[in-house]
Amino acid sequence: MCTRADIGNEGGAGQTVEICADGLQYYSDALQGRPTRGECPRCLLDLGLVQRVPDGTLAPIPPRLAAGAQMDHMERAIEEKRNALAAMRAAVAQAQEIYLDSYGKGESHLIRVVQGANAISATLSAAVHACREELLTAQPGGGRPQELLDKALASDLGAIERGVSQRTIYQHAIRSHQPTLTYVEHIVQAGGEVRTLDEVFDRLIICDRKVAFIPDPGLERSETALAVEHPGVVR
C-alpha cells in the first residue's frame, strides 16, 4: 500500500507521497511493456508518474517531467514562506523598538507591568505558545477551576508535542481535587513532570528561561502581573 501524509498550511493543503513497493513494480512493468497487475497504485497517480491517455489506458511518464510541475509549485511555496518569515522578522524588530521605547525614562527594562485579567491571559498564552525548550511553573493554592484546566491542558500538551520540557510544582492540596489530578495525569502521560510540596511558595511561570511571570505581591493577583525579561533576574 502507498504511504501518504497530508500536511496542512495556511495557503492550502500539501501532501507528501512515498512510492510503495507495488508502485515501483507497476511502474517498472509499464515502462518495459509488460502486463501490469491489478489497479494502478495511488502513489503513481499522485506523483504523475502514470497518466491516463485519450484512449483510456495508463501510460508511464518520465519522472522529471511528471514531478517537475509539482516541485516547482513546492519551491515557490517555500520561497513565499521565506519571504513571509523575513517580513515578519522585520515587523517584529520594529515592534520591539516601540516596545522598549514604551518604558519611561526612569524605568528599568527588567520588568514590565501587565494589567488586566484579559491582558495577563493573552500575554501568558502567547509566551507558552512561543516556548521551544522549557516551561517551568509553580502553581500555589488548591485545585484550579475546570475552565482554566481545560485551556491550560490544550496549551501545555501542544508545548510538550513541540518538544518543550515541562515541569510544574503544586501544593499538596491538589491531591484531593479530581479535576486537577485529571489534568496532571494527562500531562504526565505526555511526558511532563509534576510534583507537589507542603511548603508555601509564590506563583511563577518561566518560558525558555528568557521571560518570567510573577504576581505583584502588593496588588490584586488576577489584575496585575510582572513580566521579567532580564536574563540575570530570570536565572
Side-chain angles (χ1 to χ4, degrees), residues 4-205:
R4 306 176 62 196
D6 293 334
I7 303 175
N9 55 64
E10 293 179 357
Q15 68 178 207
T16 58
V17 182
E18 298 178 3
I19 300 181
C20 61
D22 290 342
L24 290 173
Q25 184 60 55
Y26 189 102
Y27 188 61
S28 176
D29 291 341
L31 286 172
Q32 311 219 11
R34 296 192 295 262
T36 54
R37 301 177 181 177
E39 295 184 2
C40 176
R42 185 70 193 179
C43 57
L44 297 181
L45 297 173
D46 288 339
L47 286 170
L49 290 170
V50 173
Q51 297 181 14
R52 195 170 298 279
V53 295
D55 64 3
T57 60
L58 295 171
I61 305 298
R64 291 187 181 277
L65 293 179
Q70 293 190 49
M71 288 191 292
D72 288 345
H73 175 73
M74 293 176 68
E75 288 175 352
R76 286 196 299 270
I78 291 172
E79 185 62 26
E80 289 175 358
K81 290 295 184 182
R82 285 175 176 165
N83 292 337
L85 178 59
M88 180 176 289
R89 283 174 173 162
V92 169
Q94 291 177 315
Q96 179 70 6
E97 292 181 8
I98 301 299
Y99 176 79
L100 294 177
D101 288 342
S102 69
Y103 289 96
K105 291 183 178 180
E107 295 178 351
S108 170
H109 287 193
L110 294 177
I111 300 173
R112 167 171 287 274
V113 178
V114 184
Q115 294 183 319
N118 291 335
I120 293 172
S121 177
T123 303
L124 287 174
S125 178
V128 172
H129 279 87
C131 263
R132 290 296 177 267
E133 297 177 3
E134 182 183 60
L135 177 62
L136 304 175
T137 61
Q139 300 283 1
R144 301 164 68 190
Q146 185 69 59
E147 181 181 355
L148 292 181
L149 289 170
D150 292 341
K151 185 176 181 180
L153 181 61
S155 178
D156 293 345
L157 288 180
I160 293 174
E161 290 175 358
R162 294 196 305 274
V164 176
S165 172
Q166 181 173 325
R167 289 182 288 169
T168 302
I169 295 176
Y170 284 101
Q171 289 182 303
H172 285 338
I174 70 145
R175 291 173 176 260
S176 60
H177 188 253
Q178 189 55 51
T180 302
L181 291 178
T182 299
Y183 160 84
V184 168
E185 182 179 357
H186 287 300
I187 292 298
V188 172
Q189 287 178 347
E193 296 182 41
V194 179
R195 299 289 184 272
T196 65
L197 297 174
D198 60 358
E199 303 168 6
V200 177
F201 51 84
D202 290 327
R203 188 176 303 277
L204 174 67
I205 298 174

